Amino acid sequence: MIRTEEARDHDAVREILVRAFGRPDEADQIEKLRRDAMWLPEMSFVAEHDGAVVGHCVMVRMDVGGDEALAMSPVAVDPDHQRRGIGSALIRWALVTAETRQEPMVVAAGKPNYYSRFGFEAAHLHGVHGPFPEASEEFAVRRFTKEGGPSGFANYSDAFGIG
């Protein structure tokens, strides 16, 4: 089951992030994001299995060329539950929610062969660039309209520590 994250999930989300990434950086990032003006509590999701939180996906507000967009990061699944489609289900849920909210675009940084299956394309093909190497295939966008939408520099929240 996928649902919106609640305060009672924070400790479980932290543990999942530390276990999935093998370090506390992403867990610390989420804690900073929760206190950031760009945080959208309704866009932070958890996956449950047998009553336990086993996955997490979050989207936060960002600015792309002066227009609003969403940044998706991080996505994590507890290592004991990986390779079961939980991460994919979280991403699909988040994307459907973003589209339902009529968000123009989601930006993600990650493996292109993974994110492309969700409709993400290289950001530079859409006129979006940011704090990553130019023309990097690991910096991608998913637009919800065929034409238009934000373009320009992708400004991440300071909580990401990458701007």
Side-chain angles (χ1 to χ4, degrees), residues 27-87:
D28 294 344
Q29 174 188 344
I30 287 295
E31 290 175 8
K32 288 177 189 171
L33 283 168
R34 285 187 186 117
R35 296 185 304 269
D36 192 271
M38 300 303 223
W39 181 254
L40 300 169
E42 68 277 14
M43 296 301 290
S44 182
F45 306 103
V46 295
E48 286 184 328
H49 178 74
D50 291 336
V53 174
V54 297
H56 181 252
C57 175
V58 67
M59 291 190 189
V60 298
R61 182 67 59 211
M62 73 180 309
D63 168 281
V64 176
D67 293 314
E68 288 187 345
L70 294 175
M72 181 171 58
S73 180
V75 177
V77 176
D78 184 276
D80 293 340
H81 295 273
Q82 291 178 357
R83 305 232 180 260
R84 297 180 188 176
I86 295 169

Side-chain angles (χ1 to χ4, degrees), residues 8 28 30 36 57 69 74 84 88 97 99 103 117 124 131 133 135 152 163:
R8 66 184 168 102
D28 294 344
I30 287 295
D36 192 271
C57 175
R84 297 180 188 176
S88 294
T97 303
E99 187 171 22
E103 298 288 347
R117 70 175 122 162
H124 68 90

Side-chain angles (χ1 to χ4, degrees), residues 62-63 71 73 107-109 131-132 139 153-160 162-163:
M62 73 180 309
D63 168 281
S73 180
V107 177
F132 302 103
F139 184 46
F153 192 83
N155 293 295
Y156 282 82
S157 163
D158 290 341
F160 280 100
I162 57 175

Side-chain angles (χ1 to χ4, degrees), residues 10-32:
H10 291 185
D11 290 343
V13 167
R14 180 171 184 79
E15 184 177 333
I16 288 165
L17 289 163
V18 170
R19 285 179 39 85
F21 290 99
R23 61 182 186 220
D25 301 19
E26 288 77 8
D28 294 344
Q29 174 188 344
I30 287 295
E31 290 175 8
K32 288 177 189 171

